[in-house]
Amino acid sequence: MKEIYEKMGLFYLGKDAEDDSLTLNKSKHLTTHAIIIGMTGSGKTGLGIDLIEEAAIDNIPVLVIDPKGDMGNLCLAFPEMKPEDFKPWIDESTAQAKGMSVDELAEKTAKMWKEGIESFHQDLDRVKRYAEVDKTIYTPGSTAGVSVNILGSFEAPGEEVVDDVDLFASLINSSVSSILSLIGIDADPVSSKEHLLISNIFYYFWSKGQSLSLEELIGYITNPPFEKIGVMPLKTFYPQKERLELAMKFNNVLSSVGFSTWISGEPLDIGKMLYDKNGKAKIAIFSIAHLSDNERMFFVTLLLNRFISWMRRQRGSSSLKAMLYMDEIFGYFPPSKNPPSKEPMLLLLKQARAFGIGVVLSTQNPVDIDYKGLSNIGTWFVGKLQTKQDIEKVVDSLSDGEDKKEVAEKIANLKGRHFYLKNVHEDDVREFYTRWVLSYLKGPMTKDDIRRLMKDKKTEVQETPAVTKTSDSDGGMKPIVSKKIKEYFNDTNINSDDPFYPYIYANAKVRFYNQKRGIDFEEEFDYKLELYEGMNTIDWEEAVEERPTNLSRKYKSSAKFAKLPEIVENATSLKEFERKLKDYLYHNKKIELFACKKLKMESKLGESEEDFRAKVDGVLKDKKEAEIEKIEKKYKTKFERLQDKLQRLEIKLEKEKSDVSSKTTDTLLDIGMGILGALFGRKSSAVTKGASALKKGGRIVKEKRDVEAVEMQIEEVKEDIKNLKEELEAEIEKIEEKYDPSNYEIESVSIKPRRSDVSVEDIALLWEK
């Protein structure tokens, strides 16, 4: 029976508290978002992990924001349930407190976990399927897990965002607010000079599709690329001296000892973090328990904004395509304040559904969540609550005609792992208890725990080659070069006595044109090629893509300069450098598109392979879900007919033998009813009661012929339900095979520039220190 709900877009969450039938929830219902509410010890973390495990098994990627450190447990899945798998995660003091050795407790834990999983109709094969899903713990601002390059670049959003005026403004506002929070400034977007200045800088570059690094931002704060803010001259609105003070605050962040951990590691590329190159879903866990409050707010806001930018590039979908889970929303989405994270979170709750993205939030205190956000949430999981305020916040949505005092009392007395489930797509409110998680729950992850888990996953950060300094370390007079060679000076360290070092700087444009695909796109490149003593060849592959922020044609007379290689000092011009650069761009630059001919789909300009595969996967999921909807209609009438027949037979059996309880329906029928009920909706509580009554009476041998006849009919109905299930399974098997992504080949299509479409706009000798 497990094979059915695994294939029908259903999440297995646990068992009904009344009759132990399976609690199943359609995954597509989570596109209207969900919230898990419950006090400490209610089982919120376990339910959250259940949801994430179900998504991963169904090839739905999940981005997890983990402020407390609990969600790293998602990485502890042991398919073979060996004691030695559990042993490294058993705390010695815990074992001693139980009067056991670590080995004994590991053996006991492994046995308990295996039995717990199997008690909920799960097997080790299911654990294996989940364990095979790629999981990464990212630790921004720390090297404990996989580092993330957060401040290396404030990536420009795509055209989809820029063209949406309100969204673009929202993205800039929250980004700037989060950046200013790094230096302790709580800025108002309308009245704060700091906010307005940096907002205008972001608008200037992002509207052109240009990303910004923190170094570039600091440079543009002191030297903005515009003369006015609004109608006021820049020097009146924000004098140079004040701008320099603001730049210095950011420079202090840049120069701090711990800053290197914010600019090293993997780029914050949401698509690559959620999908591998084969389109397989991944779980990306962002552990932020080690950060300060300001750093957490900065990172969460930046991450949400980056997630929105990725989301807006996705194709619309009615099925669940990806999930964002936040383990504790307190402080990030309050009702009365406006922290930087609030605006992007509200935007996600309003817009994500259209893209097949589900947001799941968890909290101990529902009163600390903005009511506008709660109004956009369709599924509520409510566990035990104790404070009057918290209970009053949720009681209205759960009462469903019942006495509110009685409902409030039930909420206050719920057992651990028990939750009320209210889904706007269903008519009833039901109590269930969560299934046993597939992951081992050891408790909060320490930095050492994360370091052990991620040891093999950490990517080696490529170090930038050191500048090859000349033997004259103190520098000397400026070398004389041909008048035909343009020179720029970029003094990034004004108070330093270091010499200027030489580079060739070039700005080039490459046009990509393809009439058939309607592509006419020009890309701009900025390169710095290091010059060193003894250099005798020109190789632009050694250049770095970098745009200097403060180019000047002047320098101080007291400045010192490193030596130039003869290849430049003796040159009459930089024509050879220019020619080599054009050749390099012509041979190496191309636009790569991706195509799936079977679906007649082709990627958009700038769309990554991971994003395109995700789009293909979304189309396949939508097609699969559409065909499953047809199957639902096909089987619904049959299912209801069997329900009615079963109820009539139950009544008849009770009349014929009222003193004998019915126990004919076995576990298979319970599970089958749970699955079909989840698909077609619960008809009435009488069905559940009928199934429960039959379960109690089916094995008692009846002597009377009329009772035997009814029992025989009941057996026939059971057989019909079983056959219905097998037919359904067979049809779904065909659909699964039909829409398996492995049957849909992704091809690469390259568009190269013409030689005439490669131009070097500017090339100069750059002196930089």
Side-chain angles (χ1 to χ4, degrees):
M1 191 59 69
K2 170 175 72 75
E3 286 77 9
I4 296 185
Y5 69 71
E6 296 281 46
K7 297 176 181 177
M8 301 193 84
L10 298 173
F11 282 7
Y12 172 28
L13 302 181
K15 292 184 179 181
D16 192 284
E18 183 178 342
D19 62 8
D20 274 357
S21 61
L22 300 194
T23 298
L24 301 163
N25 202 62
K26 281 190 175 182
S27 60
K28 66 187 294 185
H29 289 171
L30 288 177
T31 58
T32 52
H33 317 307
I35 187 165
I36 303 173
I37 302 170
M39 60 181 288
T40 301
S42 61
K44 295 192 306 298
T45 299
L47 176 54
I49 286 179
D50 278 341
L51 286 166
I52 295 168
E53 288 175 345
E54 292 296 321
I57 289 172
D58 284 1
N59 199 41
I60 297 168
V62 188
L63 187 149
V64 181
I65 303 175
D66 182 18
K68 299 185 301 180
D70 288 323
M71 305 311 290
N73 289 290
L74 286 159
C75 299
L76 302 180
F78 310 124
E80 297 181 6
M81 293 291 158
K82 294 179 180 178
E84 51 263 38
D85 293 331
F86 289 82
K87 183 179 176 180
W89 309 103
I90 300 293
D91 187 74
E92 189 174 349
S93 61
T94 303
Q96 289 176 351
K98 293 178 180 289
M100 306 170 72
S101 68
V102 172
D103 288 331
E104 288 171 336
L105 185 54
E107 186 173 354
K108 182 180 179 181
T109 303
K111 182 181 179 183
M112 177 180 69
W113 227 260
K114 182 175 183 295
E115 290 175 351
I117 287 170
E118 291 174 344
S119 70
F120 280 82
H121 313 292
Q122 303 179 105
D123 55 29
L124 297 188
D125 180 62
R126 194 165 202 252
V127 182
K128 182 181 178 183
R129 289 177 59 198
Y130 169 71
E132 288 173 349
V133 177
D134 188 293
K135 310 168 195 71
T136 304
I137 302 177
Y138 296 97
T139 50
S142 169
T143 58
V146 175
S147 299
V148 189
N149 188 342
I150 302 299
L151 295 176
S153 174
F154 296 105
E155 184 179 302
E159 291 181 7
E160 299 84 357
V161 174
V162 176
D163 292 341
D164 186 327
V165 177
D166 292 336
L167 176 60
F168 189 36
S170 171
L171 189 63
I172 290 176
N173 280 339
S174 57
S175 296
V176 174
S177 294
S178 69
I179 292 166
L180 287 171
S181 72
L182 261 186
I183 56 173
I185 296 179
D186 184 9
D188 179 77
V190 177
S191 60
S192 165
K193 291 194 297 184
E194 298 91 347
H195 200 290
L196 288 168
L197 172 65
I198 299 175
S199 294
N200 275 271
I201 293 172
F202 272 94
Y203 179 82
Y204 180 87
F205 288 102
W206 278 6
S207 59
K208 296 180 178 182
Q210 296 180 10
S211 301
L212 283 169
S213 68
L214 185 57
E215 288 182 344
E216 290 173 326
L217 178 61
I218 292 171
Y220 290 125
I221 287 173
T222 57
N223 236 337
F226 40 78
E227 297 294 328
K228 291 182 178 181
I229 290 184
V231 296
M232 293 185 66
L234 179 64
K235 60 184 178 182
T236 303
F237 178 83
Y238 207 146
Q240 170 73 24
K241 182 181 177 182
E242 294 180 27
R243 297 201 308 271
L244 187 59
E245 289 174 359
L246 178 62
M248 285 300 294
K249 290 181 180 180
F250 282 110
N251 190 64
N252 291 340
V253 174
L254 187 67
S255 59
S256 65
V257 175
F259 179 76
S260 60
T261 57
W262 289 89
I263 57 171
S264 60
E266 291 189 16
L268 190 57
D269 187 321
I270 302 298
K272 290 183 178 179
M273 288 175 166
L274 294 184
Y275 293 95
D276 66 17
K277 287 192 174 182
N278 297 316
K280 295 292 183 182
K282 294 159 58 171
I283 299 176
I285 304 162
F286 291 89
S287 181
I288 58 175
H290 58 281
L291 299 178
S292 68
D293 289 342
N294 282 346
E295 289 172 338
R296 288 188 198 182
M297 183 59 69
F298 164 73
F299 173 72
V300 169
T301 305
L302 187 68
L303 180 62
L304 292 177
N305 282 335
R306 195 66 62 86
F307 188 83
I308 289 169
S309 295
W310 170 81
M311 177 188 77
R312 290 300 295 258
R313 296 196 301 269
Q314 308 309 304
R315 175 183 174 274
S317 176
S318 60
S319 60
L320 184 64
K321 186 175 178 180
M323 199 162 83
L324 184 145
Y325 179 92
M326 188 160 184
D327 193 38
E328 181 50 71
I329 193 66
F330 173 74
Y332 297 94
F333 200 39
S336 56
K337 296 181 180 180
N338 290 294
S341 59
K342 184 174 180 178
E343 196 169 354
M345 181 59 77
L346 185 58
L347 195 146
L348 270 173
L349 291 173
K350 288 180 176 179
Q351 296 189 3
R353 179 183 183 180
F355 300 92
I357 309 270
V359 178
V360 182
L361 307 176
S362 176
T363 186
Q364 297 182 40
N365 311 101
V367 294
D368 293 322
I369 298 181
D370 187 87
Y371 72 94
K372 292 179 184 177
L374 291 177
S375 67
N376 283 282
I377 291 175
T379 301
W380 289 51
F381 298 100
V382 180
K384 185 175 182 177
L385 294 169
Q386 285 191 325
T387 68
K388 185 179 178 181
Q389 275 186 312
D390 288 338
I391 293 174
E392 286 177 352
K393 189 81 171 180
V394 302
V395 74
D396 286 337
S397 63
L398 296 179
S399 58
D400 202 28
E402 293 184 64
D403 181 76
K404 290 184 180 180
K405 287 186 178 180
E406 187 178 339
V407 174
E409 188 175 340
K410 287 180 179 178
I411 293 172
N413 291 290
L414 275 173
K415 300 176 185 176
R417 291 178 54 199
H418 279 243
F419 290 85
Y420 281 111
L421 170 56
K422 171 64 177 177
N423 185 341
V424 294
H425 306 282
E426 303 285 353
D427 295 329
D428 61 339
V429 177
R430 57 188 184 272
E431 181 186 346
F432 76 101
Y433 58 99
T434 56
R435 67 162 175 79
W436 200 281
V437 296
L438 307 177
S439 312
Y440 170 52
L441 304 185
K442 72 161 288 291
M445 288 275 175
T446 65
K447 279 189 175 183
D448 285 339
D449 291 333
I450 294 172
R451 194 172 281 110
R452 273 193 293 162
L453 270 174
M454 294 294 107
K455 183 180 178 182
D456 296 331
K457 290 219 58 159
K458 290 184 182 181
T459 54
E460 292 295 327
V461 179
Q462 295 294 323
E463 295 186 2
T464 304
V467 173
T468 308
K469 297 187 177 182
T470 65
S471 56
D472 185 3
S473 58
D474 293 329
M477 296 287 291
K478 180 184 170 302
I480 298 173
V481 295
S482 169
K483 291 181 180 181
K484 293 182 179 180
I485 296 178
K486 185 191 293 184
E487 292 182 271
Y488 287 133
F489 304 89
N490 187 20
D491 192 348
T492 61
N493 199 349
I494 298 171
N495 297 321
S496 169
D497 288 331
D498 291 341
F500 281 96
Y501 289 93
Y503 300 84
I504 296 296
Y505 163 71
N507 171 268
K509 291 181 179 179
V510 181
R511 181 189 180 203
F512 300 93
Y513 178 75
N514 186 287
Q515 186 176 14
K516 178 183 176 182
R517 292 180 169 84
I519 291 175
D520 192 353
F521 169 71
E522 189 173 70
E523 191 169 2
E524 187 173 357
F525 300 93
D526 288 274
Y527 287 106
K528 273 174 55 178
L529 177 64
E530 179 195 346
L531 301 175
Y532 50 89
E533 195 173 0
M535 178 180 180
N536 51 27
T537 58
I538 302 170
D539 188 355
W540 282 99
E541 287 188 4
E542 295 179 357
V544 294
E545 287 194 44
E546 184 180 321
R547 184 175 65 251
T549 57
N550 243 338
L551 294 181
S552 172
R553 300 299 297 272
K554 298 178 180 180
Y555 63 95
K556 291 182 179 180
S557 58
S558 60
K560 299 175 183 179
F561 294 82
K563 290 183 177 180
L564 272 177
E566 291 183 3
I567 196 172
V568 176
E569 194 169 19
N570 296 335
T572 56
S573 70
L574 296 178
K575 288 290 184 184
E576 185 62 17
F577 282 87
E578 182 177 342
R579 185 184 68 79
K580 291 274 189 178
L581 178 57
K582 285 183 177 180
D583 285 344
Y584 169 76
L585 293 171
Y586 173 72
H587 290 292
N588 291 278
K589 295 300 176 183
K590 62 183 178 180
I591 290 179
E592 188 174 22
L593 301 177
F594 304 95
C596 179
K597 292 182 179 179
K598 201 170 181 179
L599 291 174
K600 297 181 180 179
M601 290 177 63
E602 193 165 278
S603 66
K604 293 180 180 179
L605 192 65
E607 188 171 22
S608 69
E609 182 178 356
E610 289 84 0
D611 282 350
F612 181 65
R613 285 187 181 274
K615 184 183 289 185
V616 169
D617 186 64
V619 170
L620 295 176
K621 281 180 180 176
D622 286 344
K623 288 180 177 292
K624 180 172 69 175
E625 195 155 309
E627 291 207 18
I628 287 176
E629 294 285 347
K630 291 181 182 178
I631 289 178
E632 288 182 11
K633 293 177 182 178
K634 176 181 176 182
Y635 281 84
K636 186 174 183 179
T637 303
K638 296 179 183 179
F639 174 57
E640 290 180 346
R641 189 163 57 242
L642 287 173
Q643 281 183 312
D644 292 338
K645 189 174 182 179
L646 193 59
Q647 290 178 51
R648 291 195 301 271
L649 288 172
E650 179 212 4
I651 295 169
K652 186 175 181 180
L653 182 62
E654 288 179 347
K655 284 182 179 179
E656 296 293 343
K657 196 70 177 177
S658 58
D659 60 329
V660 179
S661 62
S662 305
K663 296 180 179 179
T664 57
T665 306
D666 56 13
T667 303
L668 178 65
L669 179 58
D670 267 345
I671 298 175
M673 284 296 195
I675 293 167
L676 295 173
L679 280 173
F680 306 133
R682 292 171 176 255
K683 192 170 182 183
S684 70
S685 60
V687 178
T688 305
K689 291 178 180 178
S692 178
L694 289 171
K695 185 175 181 182
K696 296 176 181 177
R699 297 175 183 171
I700 299 175
V701 179
K702 309 298 187 298
E703 294 182 0
K704 294 182 180 181
R705 289 182 180 178
D706 52 351
V707 174
E708 290 177 351
V710 174
E711 288 183 329
M712 188 175 295
Q713 288 177 302
I714 288 172
E715 289 300 321
E716 289 175 358
V717 173
K718 288 171 61 181
E719 189 64 28
D720 289 343
I721 290 174
K722 182 181 177 183
N723 291 337
L724 188 68
K725 168 250 176 184
E726 290 175 350
E727 287 178 24
L728 193 57
E729 186 175 354
E731 292 214 34
I732 291 174
E733 192 72 43
K734 292 178 184 176
I735 295 173
E736 284 285 317
E737 187 176 343
K738 180 179 178 182
Y739 293 113
D740 188 325
S742 63
N743 295 327
Y744 295 81
E745 184 181 358
I746 306 295
E747 298 178 359
S748 177
V749 181
S750 295
I751 298 175
K752 291 180 64 65
R754 297 171 295 192
R755 280 196 177 272
S756 58
D757 288 335
V758 178
S759 63
V760 175
E761 302 296 309
D762 192 13
I763 189 164
L765 172 61
L766 169 65
W767 295 98
E768 188 173 80
K769 72 168 181 175

